[in-house]
Amino acid sequence: MRFDIITIFPEFFGAVFDYGIVRRARAAGLVEVAAHDLRGWTKDKHKVVDDRPFGGGDGMVLKPEPIFEAVESLAGACDANSLRAKGVRVVLLSPQGRVLTQGVAGELARCEHVVVICGRYEGVDERVADRLATDEISIGDYVLSGGEPAAVVLVDAVVRLIPGALGSETSAVNESFAEDVLDFPHYTRPPEFRGMRVPEILLGGHHAGIARWRRRAALRKTRRNRPDLLEDASLSEEDRAGLDEPEE
Ligand code: ADE
C-alpha cells in the first residue's frame, strides 16, 4: 500500500512515520509513505498556492490548480470517478468531512493507493471536494489549523489495519471499537500500587472468569465514557445482567 501526502509543510512529516508500528510496516515493505510539497506543482515564480475568497471574508483559500496537478501526477488522473475506477482513493482532510471511524480506516486499509490532501488556511477551493477527492474526511469535531496532524492520525489508524502490520493478528480485533465497545482495562505489575489493587480475578489463572470480568469492565467503561456507542452495540443477556450488577 502507498500513501502520498500533499501538503505545504512536507517537513512536518520528517520523523513521525519513523516510530512503532508504522516504522515496522514500512521496513517490512507493507506500506510506503511520502510527503510532497504542493508548491512543486505551482507554475508561477512565487509558487503561490492560495488566494482570497470570492465573495469576500477573512483568510485565504487553497487554489485548485496545483492540487489537481499534484493528484494527476501522483495518481495518473484528476477526477474522482476515474480515480475510483483505478482503485485510488483521494482523501481531502477537512473539518467538513465524514468522521474517521475504525470502519472508515478499515475501508482505506484495503486500498493500494491513498492520496491525502492536507487543507490549510480558511479552506480549500470547493472544486477539490466536488470533483477531485473521492473522500472528504474529518478526524473529529474540532478545527485544526491544517490537515497535517490529521494526516498523521489517518495514516497511523490505517496502517495498523494492514494485514501483517501488527505483531499479533488478534490485537486489532480485541481493542476499542472493533465491535462498538471500548477496550477492557489493562493492568501490569505491581499488583498493589499506592494502595490501588489490581482486581483479584486477574491475578489468578481462571481464564473464563477473566474473560467475563473483562467483558463486564469494558461494557461499564463504555457506558461511563461513551454511552452513545452502546445504542448500536449488540448485547447478550449476560452483558445486560453484568451492566445491571452493582459496582464492587
Ligand atoms: N483540518 C482542520 N480540521 C480538521 C479536522 N478536524 N479533521 C481533518 N482535517 C482538518
Side-chain angles (χ1 to χ4, degrees):
M1 164 167 206
R2 180 177 175 87
F3 282 97
D4 283 301
I5 302 170
I6 301 169
T7 170
I8 57 167
F9 297 132
E11 303 81 14
F12 178 92
F13 298 94
V16 282
F17 300 127
D18 291 345
Y19 296 91
I21 283 160
V22 177
R23 180 198 182 96
R24 240 192 20 226
R26 291 173 65 210
L30 294 172
V31 65
E32 285 173 81
V33 188
H36 308 273
D37 190 348
L38 178 63
R39 293 183 202 280
W41 284 282
T42 54
K43 294 192 168 137
D44 62 302
K45 194 167 92 203
H46 300 291
K47 301 186 184 298
V48 175
V49 290
D50 58 343
D51 207 339
R52 292 196 309 273
F54 279 127
D58 291 334
M60 300 290 270
V61 176
L62 285 182
K63 294 158 64 60
E65 305 97 311
I67 301 179
F68 275 69
E69 293 279 345
V71 172
E72 171 134 63
S73 79
L74 292 168
C78 62
D79 70 280
N81 292 335
S82 324
L83 287 157
R84 219 178 267 114
K86 288 163 76 82
V88 180
R89 301 286 279 262
V90 176
V91 175
L92 171 63
L93 290 169
S94 93
Q96 284 74 48
R98 65 181 165 132
V99 174
L100 178 64
T101 60
Q102 196 67 6
V104 172
E107 225 179 85
L108 293 174
R110 290 191 288 275
C111 301
E112 270 310 302
H113 190 189
V114 179
V115 178
V116 179
I117 303 166
C118 301
R120 267 280 140 184
Y121 304 116
E122 297 307 303
V124 177
D125 188 286
E126 191 65 15
R127 287 165 286 195
V128 171
D130 281 349
R131 293 291 179 83
L132 180 63
T134 59
D135 301 83
E136 186 170 7
I137 293 178
S138 162
I139 63 160
D141 289 338
Y142 40 81
V143 181
L144 303 168
S145 42
E148 284 77 9
V152 174
V153 169
L154 180 83
V155 169
D156 192 285
V158 172
V159 166
R160 55 201 305 295
L161 296 179
I162 299 172
L166 294 183
S168 129
E169 294 297 320
T170 57
S171 14
V173 176
N174 265 335
E175 61 199 358
S176 297
F177 300 115
E179 45 155 10
D180 297 326
V181 174
L182 301 178
D183 197 5
F184 55 77
H186 301 259
Y187 296 90
T188 186
R189 288 186 292 179
E192 180 165 349
F193 170 68
R194 299 193 176 194
M196 296 174 281
R197 282 199 59 76
V198 171
E200 210 55 43
I201 182 83
L202 300 179
L203 304 177
H206 188 326
H207 298 299
I210 291 171
R212 257 197 316 276
W213 182 89
R214 286 180 166 166
R215 176 71 182 170
R216 200 179 56 177
L219 287 163
R220 289 183 169 188
K221 187 151 187 170
T222 307
R223 181 172 60 186
R224 188 163 70 243
N225 289 348
R226 292 292 307 277
D228 55 303
L229 294 177
L230 286 187
E231 287 163 23
D232 299 326
S234 49
L235 301 187
S236 67
E237 285 294 317
E238 193 182 348
D239 288 339
R240 288 183 198 287
L243 274 172
D244 288 342
E245 275 170 34
E247 303 259 351
E248 62 267 357

